[in-house]
Amino acid sequence: MRMRRGAALAVVAGGGAVTTILVGLVTNAVSAQSHWPSWLGWLQKHPWLSFVMLGVVAAALTAVLAVLDDRQPSGQEPEPVLRPDDGAGPPGAALVLRSLPRDTSAFTDRSAELESLVRSVRAAQETGEGLPVHVIDGMPGVGKTAFAVHAGHVLSERFPDGQLFVNLNGHTPGRSPVQATEALASLLAAAGVPTQQIPVGDDVGAVTEARAAMWRSRLAGKKALLILDNAGSYRQLEPLLPGGSECLVLVTSRKRLAAQEEVVLPVEALPPDHAVDLFVRLSGRPADALDRDVLGELVRLCGYLPLGVSLLAARLRHHPSWSAADLRARLVAARDRLGELRAGERAVAATFDLSYQDLAAELQRFFRALGHYPGTDLDAYVGAALAALTVADVRHQLDALYDAHLIDEHPGSRYRLHDLLRDYARGLADEGDSMDHVQAVRRVGTYYLAALAAANEHIVRSGAAARHPPDDAEQAETPPLESRSAALSWLEAERPNILACIRRANALALYDLVIRLAAAMAPFLRQAGPWDQAVGLHRTAAEAARQTGDQQALAGALTELGVIRRFMAAYPEATEALNEAVTHYDAVDDRRGKADALNQAGIVWYLTADNDASALAQTEALALYREVDDRLGQANALADLGMVRRQTSDFCAAVEAQSEALSFYRGLGDRYGEANSLRDLGVVHCLMGEYEQAAQWHREALGIYEELDDRVHQAYALNELGVVRRLTGDLDGARESHTRALEYFTELGERFGRTNCIRHLGVLDRLTGDATTAIRELEEALEAYRDLGSRGGEAASLGELGAARAAVGDRDGAVEAFEQSLGILRELGDRCGEAEVLNHWGTLLRTSDDLGAACRRFEQALALAQAIRCPLEEARALEGAGRCDSMIDGPERAERPLREALSIYRQLGVSASADDIERFLVSQVG
């Protein structure tokens, strides 16, 4: 090729010279003003021959050039050739600087990301390994370019041979993406290659390859830094990559670029504190003049995006009369939050528009559909219902949006829109037909009904009436929920989304959907809480039922509301809701529903120690359950009736009812009911002094609750197990049980159970000698029980508080507490509790040398304990009476009651008390 070019140049040069001579001859011949020497003079005399020779030379020159051109192989494009230096750059080339852009003031602390990049570069340079391409990706507005430029400045000393920046315009409004061949021309020029030496030609592919080869050659053996900003694809930037191993390439892109050798550096939204710091720096206001709480709200409304924060700070800077609170109020009140996040021609929404416009039409439709979604995160199943697509199609759509950084991926194959992107999607969705929104919410709600029906098969107790989803829900694709744990995990993940769907459906007057979804969520919320969410849900369902005039649905919502109010120890509100539910069930002649409401009301009355009302409600509920042949209902009523019998110290009747309930539960395979009956049997056996049996029942109940992942009842079982451990002298084990229970109750917001824990811990502190702490804890429990309206809890706290006050010598305070406790216990008919308080009072009087009064208290306690078969209090009364007799009449009279007490303690396994009596008897004999 080079020889052809040389021959062509020689021919052209020679032909030019001959032509010049001939033209001159012709000119002189015409003018006759000068004479040419030798044989040229003859030509001058015959000018017509000069014209002939000029024509021959021109023809010969044309023929030679044609022959040289024909020697190029057929079908081959002309190779790139050097072009003259016209001083112009390649058309449409990106702006390239020989040095990095200045480090922006909008950059804020990205120490973790920067440290990761520096560590990667340092490791590669120290080991001599090739530096990989580092791709900085993230959603629009997150500050990818600012990070790349800042990192370039930080790393510049490591790359002394140059730092270059190229904007590839992958997502630049009004401009097409820069082609690789154009970018290479700019890079070569920036690297010092003369323009006339940069390959050109008609074959774009060949030119790109030639320029890429020259670019790699120029950087061979050099340490240079190259920032390729705003890349649209890996194909666009691949030809720009240096061939050497000592050059660092930083790439920014809104898309996830796939390449084997890359290192991905994701840039996320800023941490809240960093976002606030950035706002302060850009607002132009003194830091001490700005309320950080207000700023925290502002940057949260910006989604912690650097672009949004900088634009909002610029608005404050340009409005000196505004305060940060003024700006917050404006942003909170704005219907179009994205419209407020702008400054001049810059706006957050504009950056989102660029990414949205890059999507294919079907992806744009799916993204708009996400604007109708009420929840915060979703999986492919929800997406399929939302967009009326198959799950397989939606998986592809979600992957594509993830690659475009328009949605974030979370563990469990779940996806979430950034807050501002969610606003943007809603704005796009609102531009469509309003019925699209209604239909989308209905489809999502119907899907949730189908999925909840599958989950509740593992959640709802055996024998309970099943709730069937609507017919159209059967067409929905639902996730595989093949176990209780899988169902609970799915419910926990979807809880906020289902509740959000219910709220949106209610706002759209889709009342039937609201009622169905609330009822389907009730079993899970009963077990998992939190109660305030459940209360809001069932109130919404009740109001929706009132809107439709559906009394049965209203009664169901009120029953669930009463149950949750009971869990919250809001007993008056629970009673009100349940009584109203009974009325509505009566109106529609729903006997099963009425029995459910009566059963729950009876539990509330049991908790408030209205034992007569509770027994009456449970007896009526039991009769109704038998009428409709509801075995689970019968078991529940029997179990709750057994609790009432136990509370009134009718232990034999309690064991009988609870044992019958246990038989029902086991026949039904209802593990939850079985655990409840076992736990209450444990309580009864504990009161009867059968501690080993009681501990066994409690351990079995706890195991079932753990199997069911029911933390509320785990905590109740732990509390009861702690009582048994305390009574048998294992104080450390008791404290461990009560402390674990306290953690569960506190986490779940279960106030009654938490108060029980505090009371039990107070008793332990008294027994271990820390009466001051015990008094503080028991007073806290007393106040809580009074606030909850729990008369039984109040009486128990007062009795223990009296004992603790006696331990610190506060006799008057102790007597006052004992008197108040006895008054409540006698009103409630709790004879076992009464005997316990009488024993505490007798001990106080004995240690105060009021032996006659002490003996009377012990005698009263003994009579009660023997009447109800409460051996622990019987032993305590005998011990107290014996010690009084020893002080009044001497050891001989005291021996009989003391040995009776010793025998009972030994039978009960209460070793510490038994040992005390034995030591006392030995001392008296000695």
Side-chain angles (χ1 to χ4, degrees):
M1 185 189 339
R2 291 182 178 177
M3 292 181 63
R4 287 202 305 272
R5 289 180 178 174
L9 289 173
V11 169
V12 171
V18 172
T19 302
T20 300
I21 295 172
L22 291 174
V23 171
L25 288 172
V26 172
T27 302
N28 280 294
V30 173
S31 65
Q33 292 180 354
S34 61
H35 299 280
W36 289 61
S38 185
W39 59 275
L40 294 176
W42 183 82
L43 287 175
Q44 188 178 22
K45 292 180 181 180
H46 303 281
W48 56 272
L49 190 56
S50 297
F51 285 105
V52 173
M53 291 180 67
L54 180 62
V56 171
V57 169
L61 181 61
T62 302
V64 170
L65 291 175
V67 170
L68 290 173
D69 185 66
D70 287 343
R71 291 178 63 185
Q72 182 167 299
S74 176
Q76 181 174 322
E77 293 291 335
E79 294 197 11
V81 299
L82 297 178
R83 62 183 184 180
D85 185 6
D86 57 6
L95 177 61
V96 181
L97 302 178
R98 291 180 179 273
S99 60
L100 300 179
R102 68 183 180 88
D103 205 357
T104 176
S105 61
F107 185 81
T108 193
D109 184 19
R110 293 275 191 188
S111 56
E113 295 93 334
L114 189 60
E115 182 181 349
S116 175
L117 173 60
V118 172
R119 186 169 55 248
S120 174
V121 171
R122 184 172 56 244
Q125 289 183 332
E126 290 176 354
T127 60
E129 297 178 357
L131 283 165
V133 175
H134 288 70
V135 178
I136 301 165
D137 68 5
M139 66 173 291
V142 81
K144 299 179 291 295
T145 299
F147 175 74
V149 171
H150 181 74
H153 283 284
V154 170
L155 294 168
S156 60
E157 292 184 359
R158 289 181 172 270
F159 300 94
D161 296 324
Q163 306 93 34
L164 298 175
F165 179 92
V166 182
N167 183 356
L168 296 177
N169 293 336
H171 305 276
T172 303
R175 300 187 66 180
S176 300
V178 175
Q179 299 301 312
T181 184
E182 299 169 355
L184 283 165
S186 298
L187 285 170
L188 288 169
V193 178
T195 305
Q196 63 270 22
Q197 293 182 16
I198 297 176
V200 295
D202 296 330
D203 185 342
V204 175
V207 170
T208 301
E209 290 178 8
R211 292 179 178 179
M214 181 177 285
W215 170 240
R216 290 193 292 270
S217 175
R218 295 289 296 190
L219 291 185
K222 298 185 181 298
K223 293 183 178 180
L225 170 66
L226 174 63
I227 297 179
L228 302 177
D229 185 50
N230 203 4
S233 66
Y234 192 79
R235 181 179 180 183
Q236 180 190 24
L237 64 89
E238 188 174 15
L240 313 182
L241 302 180
S245 62
E246 297 182 292
C247 293
L248 174 64
V249 180
L250 301 180
V251 178
T252 73
S253 179
R254 294 188 180 189
K255 297 181 178 178
R256 300 179 197 275
L257 306 179
Q260 292 181 353
E261 71 275 15
E262 71 178 7
V263 173
V264 177
L265 290 172
V267 178
E268 309 290 347
L270 293 171
D273 288 346
H274 294 177
V276 169
D277 292 341
L278 176 62
F279 187 98
V280 171
R281 188 164 68 252
L282 298 181
S283 68
R285 306 284 180 92
D288 55 4
L290 296 170
D291 186 332
R292 287 190 73 87
D293 290 338
V294 173
L295 298 187
E297 178 69 7
L298 284 172
V299 297
R300 185 190 66 78
L301 292 169
C302 293
Y304 306 111
L305 280 185
L307 176 59
V309 172
S310 62
L311 294 178
L312 206 59
R315 296 201 70 187
L316 186 62
R317 186 175 64 250
H318 295 152
H319 292 274
S321 64
W322 287 6
S323 67
D326 294 333
L327 184 59
R328 178 185 61 177
R330 183 183 180 94
L331 195 59
V332 169
R335 295 179 61 87
D336 177 16
R337 176 166 46 157
L338 287 174
E340 292 294 315
L341 298 180
R342 57 178 174 77
E345 297 181 356
R346 300 177 66 210
V348 171
T351 68
F352 295 164
D353 283 335
L354 296 174
S355 295
Y356 174 74
Q357 295 301 330
D358 276 350
L359 299 177
E362 65 273 14
L363 272 177
Q364 290 184 353
R365 285 193 295 273
F366 182 68
F367 186 77
R368 289 196 302 272
L370 293 177
H372 294 308
Y373 181 52
T376 55
D377 65 341
L378 75 163
D379 60 12
Y381 293 94
V382 177
L386 180 67
L389 296 170
T390 66
V391 171
D393 287 340
V394 167
R395 285 197 175 102
H396 293 305
Q397 306 273 31
L398 289 169
D399 285 344
L401 291 179
Y402 174 72
D403 288 341
H405 279 289
L406 288 176
I407 200 167
D408 295 327
E409 188 177 42
H410 288 259
S413 298
R414 303 191 68 82
Y415 297 83
R416 181 193 298 264
L417 287 172
H418 184 276
D419 288 349
L420 295 183
L421 277 171
R422 186 180 299 111
D423 286 352
Y424 178 72
R426 285 173 181 165
L428 294 174
D430 289 344
E431 295 174 2
D433 190 337
S434 61
M435 287 306 297
D436 290 344
H437 189 187
V438 174
Q439 293 302 321
V441 173
R442 188 181 293 279
R443 286 194 301 270
V444 172
T446 301
Y447 157 75
Y448 277 134
L449 286 174
L452 283 167
N456 282 337
E457 290 181 4
H458 303 286
I459 304 299
V460 175
R461 296 169 62 183
S462 300
R467 301 180 187 273
H468 299 288
D471 293 339
D472 53 350
E474 296 179 359
Q475 306 301 319
E477 293 184 77
T478 57
L481 302 174
E482 298 174 352
S483 66
R484 178 179 175 83
S485 61
L488 288 172
S489 295
W490 180 84
L491 283 161
E492 198 61 56
E494 291 290 359
R495 176 219 304 267
N497 301 317
I498 296 174
L499 295 178
C501 183
I502 293 172
R503 289 191 294 270
R504 184 71 59 83
N506 192 57
L508 296 172
L510 301 175
Y511 297 127
D512 181 64
L513 186 60
V514 170
I515 294 167
R516 285 176 171 271
L517 283 171
M521 278 293 286
F524 173 66
L525 291 178
R526 277 197 188 194
Q527 296 183 32
W531 312 138
D532 55 344
Q533 281 187 356
V535 166
L537 171 67
H538 296 310
R539 279 178 172 170
T540 299
E543 184 57 35
R546 287 190 172 97
Q547 292 288 337
T548 61
D550 187 339
Q551 287 202 71
Q552 191 163 24
L554 174 58
L558 288 169
T559 299
E560 291 297 340
L561 180 60
V563 171
I564 300 301
R565 280 302 196 183
R566 167 170 69 82
F567 289 165
M568 299 175 71
Y571 300 130
E573 293 86 346
T575 301
E576 180 182 359
L578 291 165
N579 284 338
E580 186 179 352
V582 169
T583 301
H584 290 293
Y585 279 130
D586 267 336
V588 296
D589 194 26
D590 184 345
R591 289 177 292 169
R592 184 195 300 271
K594 179 180 178 181
D596 288 340
L598 283 169
N599 172 244
Q600 293 297 328
I603 296 173
V604 176
W605 286 318
Y606 157 79
L607 290 171
T608 55
D610 190 347
N611 295 315
D612 291 340
S614 180
L616 181 62
Q618 298 300 354
T619 302
E620 186 178 355
L622 179 60
L624 288 169
Y625 284 132
R626 284 173 173 161
E627 286 180 20
V628 297
D629 193 26
D630 184 341
R631 298 178 67 207
L632 177 61
Q634 293 176 59
N636 289 339
L638 282 165
D640 295 326
L641 186 59
M643 292 167 61
V644 178
R645 301 304 185 209
R646 184 249 301 160
Q647 184 158 272
T648 56
S649 302
D650 190 351
F651 300 142
C652 292
V655 170
E656 181 182 355
Q658 207 61 258
S659 297
E660 187 178 354
L662 180 61
S663 178
F664 269 117
Y665 287 134
R666 285 175 169 166
L668 292 167
D670 182 357
R671 299 283 282 164
Y672 177 76
E674 179 183 356
N676 286 346
S677 283
L678 287 169
R679 178 168 58 86
D680 204 66
L681 281 169
V683 174
V684 177
H685 283 287
C686 180
L687 292 171
M688 295 170 67
E690 299 170 0
Y691 299 128
E692 185 176 346
Q693 181 65 72
Q696 180 181 336
W697 292 143
H698 289 318
R699 283 193 294 268
E700 287 187 31
L702 178 60
I704 296 174
Y705 290 138
E706 289 175 341
E707 174 189 322
L708 299 176
D709 194 27
D710 185 340
R711 288 178 296 166
V712 172
H713 287 90
Q714 286 177 46
Y716 275 109
L718 284 167
N719 249 356
E720 301 299 349
L721 189 58
V723 171
V724 175
R725 287 172 171 168
R726 168 170 57 84
L727 293 175
T728 54
D730 182 6
L731 301 186
D732 291 337
R735 185 175 297 278
E736 179 185 356
S737 294
H738 294 314
T739 301
R740 282 181 59 196
L742 180 62
E743 291 173 357
Y744 286 170
F745 284 133
T746 301
E747 178 184 349
L748 294 167
E750 220 286 9
R751 295 178 63 201
F752 182 76
R754 183 178 185 278
T755 305
N756 286 341
C757 290
I758 295 172
R759 173 169 60 86
H760 291 312
L761 288 170
V763 175
L764 284 174
D765 284 327
R766 174 179 64 82
L767 293 174
T768 54
D770 190 357
T772 302
T773 300
I775 290 172
R776 186 182 69 249
E777 290 167 332
L778 291 166
E779 287 178 343
E780 179 184 348
L782 176 61
E783 182 179 356
Y785 282 129
R786 285 171 171 168
D787 186 49
L788 294 170
S790 173
R791 298 283 283 163
E794 181 181 357
S797 290
L798 284 166
E800 290 296 342
L801 182 59
R805 286 174 176 172
V808 296
D810 181 7
R811 174 170 176 165
D812 291 341
V815 169
E816 179 184 3
F818 291 145
E819 288 176 341
Q820 292 180 16
S821 178
L822 285 175
I824 298 172
L825 291 168
R826 286 165 179 164
E827 178 186 336
L828 299 177
D830 185 353
R831 291 175 290 172
C832 185
E834 185 180 350
E836 182 179 12
V837 173
L838 286 168
N839 277 327
H840 282 318
W841 199 346
T843 301
L844 169 64
L845 293 170
R846 178 176 62 80
T847 56
S848 303
D849 293 330
D850 191 349
L851 299 178
C855 284
R856 288 192 293 275
R857 300 296 186 277
F858 287 130
E859 288 170 359
Q860 291 172 338
L862 180 60
L864 287 169
Q866 289 176 336
I868 62 175
R869 290 183 54 203
C870 184
L872 178 62
E873 297 308 326
E874 180 182 357
R876 286 173 172 170
L878 287 166
E879 179 186 2
R883 289 180 182 271
C884 286
D885 289 343
S886 175
M887 297 175 70
I888 297 172
D889 299 322
E892 292 182 1
R893 181 176 176 83
E895 185 173 0
R896 184 184 61 80
L898 287 173
R899 291 203 177 277
E900 288 182 20
L902 175 62
S903 176
I904 296 173
Y905 281 140
R906 289 298 184 200
Q907 291 175 11
L908 296 177
V910 185
S911 301
S913 296
D915 293 343
D916 283 345
I917 292 179
E918 285 190 338
R919 284 191 294 270
F920 181 77
L921 288 171
V922 169
S923 69
Q924 294 298 303
V925 172

